[in-house]
Amino acid sequence: MKSTKKKLVVLTGAGISAESGIPTFRASDGLWENHAIEDVATPQGFKKNPELVLRFYNERRAKLDHVEPNEGHKILARLEKYYDIQIITQNVDNLHERAGSSNVLHLHGELTKARSSVDENLVYEIGTKAINLGDKCEKGSQLRPHIVWFHEDVPLIHDAIEIVESADIFVVVGTSLQVYPAAGLVNYVAGFVPIYIIDPKKPETATRKNMAFIEYVGSVGLAKLWDILVND
């Protein structure tokens, strides 16, 4: 039987996980955890120094054991009682799933998975375990983080576009709408669909008639959205 619930599509970014203690991907100085982005988040960086890149993501992965979903993640999970929710996230952590969200599409990959460096379809669940030099896929190739790096295609963007086009309500939480192609998803929302953008700093985006800005951090902004979508 087809669900009678409205389709609520939520695009989340680093801001929602920052409340759980996960640093945002790109700091204002262009560094990520004191590393140049080019060194740890590009195919060229992996080719140049795979040991550094593996160690960097091993550290990020290990930290997942020491952070918890925050109230923002939990509110999105609870909204499933009232809406058919699909989350599209730019985040590579697993906090949405751990909070209880059922439908999460990770545009930029997942820390808890590894994949072959010669066949992107060979993906392995590893949890918070390390990937070491010499760890190979079934084709004999070095395993790498299952992360979409800069200068790589975003293979799930077309799936994300289809999801956004089906939205009855579209919500953006904790992203500056500056990283493409994810930032362009808002352009696929139908003109009559309400859009709520939650961020303490109003992102620079073309304002539309059905767009509302909730200028708070994710957990507070989502609590206010709950009042709009559930309590009104």
Side-chain angles (χ1 to χ4, degrees):
M1 182 181 295
K2 188 175 180 180
S3 173
T4 58
K5 295 178 180 177
K6 285 187 175 182
K7 181 84 169 189
L8 174 58
V9 178
V10 186
L11 173 65
T12 69
I16 193 168
S17 291
E19 290 185 73
S20 290
I22 295 180
T24 54
F25 185 83
R26 189 201 295 267
S28 58
D29 56 8
L31 300 179
W32 185 19
E33 295 280 326
N34 298 315
H35 290 279
I37 296 295
E38 294 75 16
D39 291 339
V40 295
T42 64
Q44 295 78 12
F46 185 61
K47 184 176 181 180
K48 177 182 177 182
N49 193 341
E51 188 173 12
L52 169 66
V53 175
L54 292 177
R55 184 171 67 248
F56 177 82
Y57 288 97
N58 289 343
E59 291 170 357
R60 309 282 79 69
R61 199 176 298 112
K63 284 187 176 181
L64 287 180
D65 279 336
H66 304 286
V67 296
E68 297 294 335
N70 61 61
E71 186 61 18
H73 296 106
K74 294 173 184 177
I75 289 172
L76 288 175
R78 291 198 294 268
L79 277 169
E80 288 190 8
K81 179 179 178 181
Y82 304 95
Y83 291 89
D84 175 12
I85 295 189
Q86 173 70 60
I87 294 173
I88 301 168
T89 187
Q90 296 170 258
N91 301 334
V92 296
D93 60 65
N94 59 357
L95 295 180
H96 282 301
E97 290 89 343
R98 286 165 58 189
S101 287
S102 304
N103 302 305
V104 184
L105 183 150
H106 286 267
L107 272 181
H108 296 158
E110 298 176 69
L111 265 178
T112 56
K113 294 180 180 180
R115 80 166 185 256
S116 166
S117 54
V118 297
D119 185 347
E120 64 182 20
N121 296 310
L122 291 178
V123 179
Y124 307 89
E125 291 277 357
I126 60 170
T128 55
K129 294 178 181 177
I131 305 173
N132 299 305
L133 277 179
D135 291 345
K136 297 181 179 180
C137 74
E138 60 205 65
K139 291 186 175 181
S141 165
Q142 172 66 46
L143 290 176
R144 55 161 279 180
H146 183 48
I147 302 293
V148 177
W149 288 325
F150 288 96
H151 312 308
E152 291 186 321
D153 292 334
V154 181
L156 294 179
I157 191 63
H158 299 294
D159 293 343
I161 288 170
E162 287 187 12
I163 292 167
V164 171
E165 288 176 335
S166 71
D168 294 309
I169 303 169
F170 187 68
V171 178
V172 177
V173 187
T175 173
S176 63
L177 295 176
Q178 297 299 307
V179 177
Y180 285 84
L185 288 173
V186 70
N187 298 322
Y188 293 91
V189 181
F192 58 86
V193 169
I195 299 173
Y196 297 93
I197 297 183
I198 300 171
D199 198 286
K201 184 178 179 181
K202 187 176 178 180
E204 293 181 12
T205 185
T207 303
R208 291 165 52 166
K209 183 174 65 174
N210 293 331
M211 185 179 286
F213 293 91
I214 302 175
E215 296 183 57
Y216 293 91
V217 296
S219 60
V220 178
L222 282 165
K224 292 183 179 297
L225 183 67
W226 177 282
D227 289 337
I228 294 169
L229 298 183
V230 178
N231 290 341
D232 274 5

